[in-house]
Amino acid sequence: GLVFGAAMTITGLITFYLTRNVPRIEAVSHSINLRAEMAALWANLPFRILFFGFLFQNIAIGSSATMLVYFLTFAMLIDASLIGPLMLVAGVTSTLVTPVWVMVAGRLGKKETYLLGLTLAIVMALPGLVLPAEYYYLLFAIYFLSGISDAVNQLMPTSMIPDTVEADEVRTGKRREGTIFGAMAFCRKLGMAFGAFFASWILQVAGFIGGGMTPEMQTESGLLGIRIAYTLLPAFLWLGAMMIVRQYALGEQQFDLIKNEIREKPVRGD
């Protein structure tokens, strides 16, 4: 906590000082018509595609996050002392490779890089479905690669959201950063909540014994339910996210044209 807190403070201050001379756009305050804002969001096709792709992704993350400790302790029989190092591998890897994904996106484009990350997430989810408990040490390699995919799957949709703001401005003449970013924050929370719900429902259907604190107290179907909710369900959801994101048509060239069009006319505040 202290290490990451210090890192967040230092990088936050660096960002603050390096952007201190960025031009400020003064927005004119006005009342918000919720129905009009929702209609504008729905009419913004790039945003709509990104929203539902991100929703599927976060349902997958919610399911796997809910089942993580169950999978490690009940299915893989891992001692609790190893959970921290496993999570550290994934977290540190994700942090370190983020700049690499920025460079990859600069060459391939955001959409293609996002699809690549979703593909990697699917591939790295499936081994947990069949991996025997005696090969638990392979999880370090799996979590290393999962950290790589998690970095791009968090970075790309976040970096694509501002593009949809510009697309909406060209279409409507207004900037809706607050509405769009608020909707994406809601999307993240909604997805995580649904992921936890679906994972819990699978456990119930599989016959998981609540309160059975050791693997020996669980049924075979209950243990299988843990693996399905941790691996197979997220894999199908990430596949669904891929199918949705493939429809995203706001590429780099089109976005450059949008930015040039915005520069040529006055900016209206949201």
Side-chain angles (χ1 to χ4, degrees), residues 26-34 36-37 172-179 268-270:
E26 295 292 346
V28 179
S29 299
H30 58 83
S31 60
I32 294 179
N33 185 310
L34 181 60
E37 292 296 303
T172 66
K174 294 184 178 181
R175 293 188 66 85
R176 291 184 170 86
E177 293 101 329
T179 301
R268 294 174 58 188
D270 183 351

Side-chain angles (χ1 to χ4, degrees), residues 53-88:
F54 196 52
L55 178 62
F56 271 60
Q57 173 186 323
N58 279 282
I59 296 175
I61 294 173
S63 176
S64 61
T66 300
M67 300 310 304
L68 174 62
V69 175
Y70 290 85
F71 171 73
L72 293 178
T73 56
F74 284 93
M76 297 304 299
L77 307 179
I78 286 180
D79 186 87
S81 62
L82 289 178
I83 296 178
L86 280 169
M87 295 300 95
L88 184 65

Side-chain angles (χ1 to χ4, degrees), residues 24-147:
R24 177 187 175 114
I25 299 175
E26 295 292 346
V28 179
S29 299
H30 58 83
S31 60
I32 294 179
N33 185 310
L34 181 60
R35 179 177 297 180
E37 292 296 303
M38 296 297 293
L41 288 179
W42 186 257
N44 186 341
L45 181 60
F47 169 80
R48 194 164 77 232
I49 292 172
L50 190 60
F51 180 93
F52 285 104
F54 196 52
L55 178 62
F56 271 60
Q57 173 186 323
N58 279 282
I59 296 175
I61 294 173
S63 176
S64 61
T66 300
M67 300 310 304
L68 174 62
V69 175
Y70 290 85
F71 171 73
L72 293 178
T73 56
F74 284 93
M76 297 304 299
L77 307 179
I78 286 180
D79 186 87
S81 62
L82 289 178
I83 296 178
L86 280 169
M87 295 300 95
L88 184 65
V89 168
V92 171
T93 301
S94 180
T95 302
L96 294 178
V97 301
T98 295
V100 178
W101 282 119
V102 173
M103 293 186 289
V104 172
R107 296 180 64 88
L108 299 182
K110 296 179 182 179
K111 171 185 172 181
E112 290 73 17
T113 305
Y114 190 13
L115 292 173
L116 180 60
L118 290 171
T119 302
L120 183 57
I122 294 171
V123 173
M124 298 321 302
L126 295 177
L129 184 63
V130 296
L131 185 66
E134 56 266 28
Y135 294 107
Y136 70 91
Y137 51 85
L138 293 178
L139 288 174
F140 284 95
I142 293 174
Y143 280 34
F144 170 77
L145 295 173
S146 296

Side-chain angles (χ1 to χ4, degrees), residues 4 7 9 22 49 53 93 109 117 136 138 164 168 193 201 204-205 247 263 266:
F4 280 98
T9 301
V22 173
I49 292 172
T93 301
Y136 70 91
L138 293 178
T164 69
D168 179 71
W201 179 76
Q204 182 179 4
V205 172
Q247 309 304 313
R263 292 191 188 101

Side-chain angles (χ1 to χ4, degrees), residues 198-211:
F198 288 134
S200 302
W201 179 76
I202 289 176
L203 286 189
Q204 182 179 4
V205 172
F208 181 82
I209 301 174

